[in-house]
């Protein structure tokens, strides 16, 4: 039996963004400016909207021992989950800047996709991922689509 996995996305211009999407992208861009990225010169920002209305932001933090650094998404998600352990995530926006220019729609790395997936499993609630860009922004309504056939707690517990 063959099956297709279809991944719906919405591509928006600045003008098409909702005020909440725009706010999250703006917050992500603001925090990206303070990223510690002396090795890649690729500054990333993430803004996490929680169900209680709080917005938690984070940027990538690099290290001379390269693998010791971490991405913006994980900085923000882990901080949000540490500060508000029982509050589900509603949305995350990410954006990147390199060479003084906003990158055209950033896509989260594989490790971050795994971490983002854990959050929707944990709270039993999928959330929106906003991949901000220079001229176009990709909106994915369900974070689980970033990582189809995910290895998660349900697989681990054979549910
Ligand atoms: N990076 C992020 O922060 N998020 C992503 O989604 C992709 C990559 C960071 C890691 C590293 O500091 C730099 O960008 C270049 O890979």
């Amino acid at each position: 039996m063959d099956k297709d996995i279809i991944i719906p996305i919405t591509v928006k211009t600045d003008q098409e963004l909702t005020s909440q999407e725009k706010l999250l992208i703006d917050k992500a861009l603001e925090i990206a400016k303070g990223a510690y990225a002396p090795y890649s010169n690729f500054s990333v920002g993430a803004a996490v909207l929680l169900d209680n209305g709080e917005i938690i932001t984070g940027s990538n933090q690099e290290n001379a021992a390269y693998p010791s650094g971490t991405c913006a998404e994980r900085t923000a998600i882990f901080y949000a989950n540490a500060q508000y352990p029982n509050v589900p995530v509603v949305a995350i926006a990410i954006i990147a800047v390199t060479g003084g220019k906003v990158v055209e729609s950033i896509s989260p790395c594989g490790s971050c996709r795994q971490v983002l997936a854990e959050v929707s499993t944990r709270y039993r609630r999928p959330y929106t991922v906003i991949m901000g860009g220079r001229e176009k922004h990709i909106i994915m309504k369900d974070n689980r689509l970033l990582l189809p056939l995910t290895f998660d707690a349900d697989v681990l517990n054979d549910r």
Side-chain angles (χ1 to χ4, degrees):
M1 186 209 310
D2 294 329
K3 285 189 176 185
D4 294 329
I5 296 174
I6 295 173
I7 301 185
I9 57 168
T10 306
V11 182
K12 291 189 177 185
T13 62
D14 274 343
Q15 292 70 38
E16 290 168 331
L17 292 172
T18 65
S19 54
Q20 189 177 74
E21 288 163 350
K22 172 133 183 49
L23 174 69
L24 291 175
I25 290 174
D26 286 349
K27 293 253 180 205
L29 187 55
E30 193 181 311
I31 200 86
K33 289 176 185 153
Y36 180 62
Y39 305 105
S40 68
N41 289 311
F42 192 83
S43 298
V44 188
V48 176
L49 174 64
L50 297 175
D51 196 39
N52 63 3
E54 289 285 337
I55 297 175
I56 305 293
T57 56
S59 59
N60 53 330
Q61 300 294 316
E62 297 186 347
N63 194 281
Y66 293 0
S68 300
T70 194
C71 292
E73 294 91 320
R74 277 176 281 167
T75 306
I77 284 279
F78 288 151
Y79 186 73
N81 285 171
Q83 295 298 312
Y84 299 97
N86 300 310
V87 184
V89 169
V90 173
I92 182 171
I94 54 176
I95 198 154
V97 180
T98 190
K101 277 168 68 178
V102 173
V103 172
E104 193 53 290
S105 292
I106 170 121
S107 189
C109 79
S111 297
C112 285
R113 288 172 195 230
Q114 184 70 31
V115 168
L116 293 174
E118 185 78 22
V119 177
S120 50
T121 311
R122 172 180 180 173
Y123 296 111
R124 296 262 157 226
R125 196 194 301 183
Y127 55 92
T128 302
V129 181
I130 303 158
M131 293 167 250
R134 187 165 57 239
E135 283 179 4
K136 62 179 172 69
H137 314 282
I138 298 173
I139 319 284
M140 188 177 271
K141 289 242 171 63
D142 184 334
N143 69 288
R144 295 172 302 179
L145 298 171
L146 275 176
L147 195 60
L149 309 177
T150 311
F151 177 78
D152 62 10
D154 290 342
V155 182
L156 201 56
N157 300 318
D158 196 20
R159 268 186 281 185

